[in-house]
Amino acid sequence: MPVYKDDNAKKNPWYFAINYKENGKYKKMLRRGFKTKKEAEAAMVEAQNAHNKGTYIEPSKTSYSKFMDSWLEDKKTTVKGRTLEFYSFLVNRYIIPQIGEIELSKLSPRDIQSLYNKLKEEGNLSDENIRKVHTIINDSLNKAFRWEMIVKNPAALVDPPKVSKKEIEVWTEEEIQRFLSVAKDSRYYCAFLLALTTGMRQGEILGLRWKDIDEENRTLSIVQTLSHDGKELTTGAKTDSGNRRISIDENTLGKILKLKHRTKVETIANRPLYNDLGLVICTSVGTPLSPRNLNRSFDSIIQKADVRKIRFHDMRHTHASLLLKQGVNPKIVSERLGHANVRITLDTYSHLLPNLQKDTVDEFGKLFYKTQSN
């Protein structure tokens, strides 16, 4: 076996050398940088087989760091600004410092697995974000493979990091009433009401405009969202399935429409400063409401109402759980929430399903044995 060890090399000392024929001429291939003899032998056999089949790709000597610069640049055309910022943060803070200097063609499953192990041990990233790191690496190396820069994607051979499922916190009906009783005097009462009665995301609520409300049919159209930092209104929802129309009840619609009068009064009172963006939930001068300020108000009301502390997003979960407990078809719940498919809804709220099954079985039993007795 033409596999050798370079005793002068401090790291990755193993390499292989083979002769092959191309266009009627004999050439020599030398590949260095393998950690073990076994790795060098496996790579050599793979290269020989690829040459024999005529599918060999010249390995790219580009570093993974340099490749990721171009990958992030290309992502500008496919993801939203906030998502790109998050990708860049994970790449530059956690991925590049660990494996960025490795040549793209020499990146191994072991290198990638070691990165995940280190991130888990350090404890600076949640399980969800370590999984996101894997998603980024796998996507980038899939692209390198499609562009014929590498022979195979090493991330595809690594098990995705496990994500521990967190228990969802939801309010009881009694807690909802206590919270709303205190919240009714808040400027942002309707923001809380929309979260509980429609399951809309916070960014969707803060991006809602008057022209998105169909009073006659009692529906809200989700066509614009506010970013998490409150600095950007973006056309479209978080996902394609998030662009949806939600039906609302008469009481909720009536309470929202009462805000129109306040908006008109503030427009006149603050005319020189008022920036009319047509937002339903906004500041006294018409500008988008900062999510941070809304969350601060939310936490304050929770304390005054003496209810369990949950996140703003958990009101969305509360809405879904109430619907499921009422026996609403999960497909309808999925559509209201803007999930890509009903499987996401069922996975998210699976803890409710045993109780729902019990109710269903009890009703079935009553019908079945009533039929038998007849």
Side-chain angles (χ1 to χ4, degrees):
M1 280 284 193
V3 173
Y4 310 95
K5 184 179 182 182
D6 183 353
D7 293 327
N8 294 320
K10 295 181 180 179
K11 294 177 64 177
N12 306 328
W14 290 92
Y15 66 97
F16 71 82
I18 60 174
N19 295 316
Y20 64 96
K21 195 173 183 179
E22 185 178 281
N23 298 325
K25 296 182 180 180
Y26 282 97
K27 294 185 178 181
K28 185 174 183 179
M29 176 193 293
L30 179 67
R31 290 288 176 266
R32 296 182 178 274
F34 298 97
K35 292 180 180 179
T36 65
K37 181 179 180 180
K38 190 174 181 180
E39 283 185 13
E41 288 174 344
M44 181 190 67
V45 171
E46 188 174 333
Q48 286 175 326
N49 290 337
H51 271 298
N52 292 336
K53 295 176 183 178
T55 60
Y56 180 75
I57 298 171
E58 185 68 25
S60 173
K61 294 187 178 299
T62 302
S63 69
Y64 188 56
S65 175
K66 188 173 182 180
F67 175 75
M68 287 306 285
D69 287 341
S70 64
W71 182 82
L72 286 170
E73 182 69 24
D74 295 342
K75 276 294 175 183
K76 291 180 180 179
T77 63
T78 58
V79 300
K80 294 182 179 179
R82 182 70 180 177
T83 301
L84 183 63
E85 286 181 18
F86 184 55
Y87 284 178
S88 298
F89 167 72
L90 291 178
V91 168
N92 294 313
R93 180 72 176 272
Y94 296 104
I95 299 176
I96 296 306
Q98 180 77 3
I99 60 176
E101 295 308 310
I102 301 174
E103 285 184 14
L104 189 58
S105 61
K106 294 180 181 178
L107 195 58
S108 70
R110 180 70 264 169
D111 295 323
I112 297 169
Q113 183 64 62
S114 295
L115 167 62
Y116 300 160
N117 294 347
K118 183 177 181 181
L119 293 178
K120 184 69 175 179
E121 290 170 5
E122 291 177 342
N124 294 324
L125 277 180
S126 65
D127 289 347
E128 292 88 347
N129 285 334
I130 295 177
R131 174 69 75 92
K132 180 60 70 176
V133 166
H134 170 74
T135 300
I136 290 172
I137 292 174
N138 188 51
D139 183 79
S140 66
L141 293 176
N142 268 335
K143 183 171 186 176
F145 173 72
R146 292 194 306 271
W147 285 16
E148 299 186 351
M149 298 178 73
I150 54 178
V151 176
K152 62 183 178 182
N153 174 5
L157 303 176
V158 181
D159 293 330
K162 185 178 179 181
V163 177
S164 302
K165 196 169 185 179
K166 294 181 180 178
E167 186 174 347
I168 292 174
E169 288 282 342
V170 298
W171 276 336
T172 64
E173 294 174 52
E174 190 268 337
E175 286 175 310
I176 292 172
Q177 295 308 316
R178 278 163 54 192
F179 173 80
L180 290 178
S181 178
V182 175
K184 65 183 180 181
D185 296 324
S186 168
R187 176 182 179 86
Y188 311 127
Y189 171 74
C190 283
F192 308 133
L193 190 65
L194 281 170
L196 288 166
T197 59
T198 68
M200 292 168 66
R201 300 178 177 91
Q202 186 181 78
E204 295 170 346
I205 293 171
L206 297 180
L208 184 67
R209 299 166 298 183
W210 291 110
K211 67 179 182 180
D212 300 328
I213 301 177
D214 183 338
E215 297 180 32
E216 183 177 349
N217 294 305
R218 285 193 282 113
T219 61
L220 308 176
S221 295
I222 310 301
V223 295
Q224 176 180 263
T225 60
L226 182 68
S227 61
H228 292 296
D229 58 11
K231 296 179 180 179
E232 182 182 5
L233 285 165
T234 306
T235 301
K238 180 181 179 182
T239 61
D240 290 340
S241 55
N243 293 304
R244 63 200 189 280
R245 185 172 294 177
I246 305 173
S247 295
I248 58 174
D249 63 273
E250 286 187 26
N251 286 334
T252 299
L253 178 62
K255 293 179 187 299
I256 293 172
L257 293 179
K258 286 182 180 179
L259 286 181
K260 271 193 172 181
H261 175 68
R262 186 183 73 186
T263 301
K264 290 178 181 177
V265 171
E266 291 178 343
T267 302
I268 296 171
N270 301 312
R271 194 181 299 278
L273 299 174
Y274 202 86
N275 183 17
D276 191 1
L277 298 174
L279 297 172
V280 175
I281 308 296
C282 59
T283 67
S284 59
V285 292
T287 53
L289 173 64
S290 165
R292 181 177 296 181
N293 290 339
L294 180 60
N295 290 334
R296 189 179 294 119
S297 176
F298 177 62
D299 292 340
S300 175
I301 295 171
I302 283 178
Q303 191 171 8
K304 291 177 183 177
D306 193 25
V307 294
R308 276 181 300 146
K309 182 174 174 56
I310 63 174
R311 303 168 303 163
F312 189 99
H313 191 76
D314 290 326
M315 289 194 285
R316 171 175 164 86
H317 295 318
T318 298
H319 173 72
S321 68
L322 288 175
L323 291 179
L324 290 170
K325 286 179 181 178
Q326 289 170 5
V328 176
N329 190 308
K331 181 72 168 64
I332 295 175
V333 178
S334 178
E335 290 172 355
R336 286 183 68 78
L337 297 178
H339 285 163
N341 54 63
V342 71
R343 181 181 57 79
I344 295 174
T345 310
L346 293 174
D347 287 348
T348 304
Y349 304 106
S350 59
H351 63 291
L352 296 174
L353 298 182
N355 294 330
L356 296 177
Q357 285 191 35
K358 181 179 181 300
D359 294 340
T360 301
V361 167
D362 288 344
E363 289 301 316
F364 172 80
K366 290 177 184 177
L367 176 64
F368 181 79
Y369 287 105
K370 180 180 180 181
T371 303
Q372 293 296 308
S373 62
N374 292 336

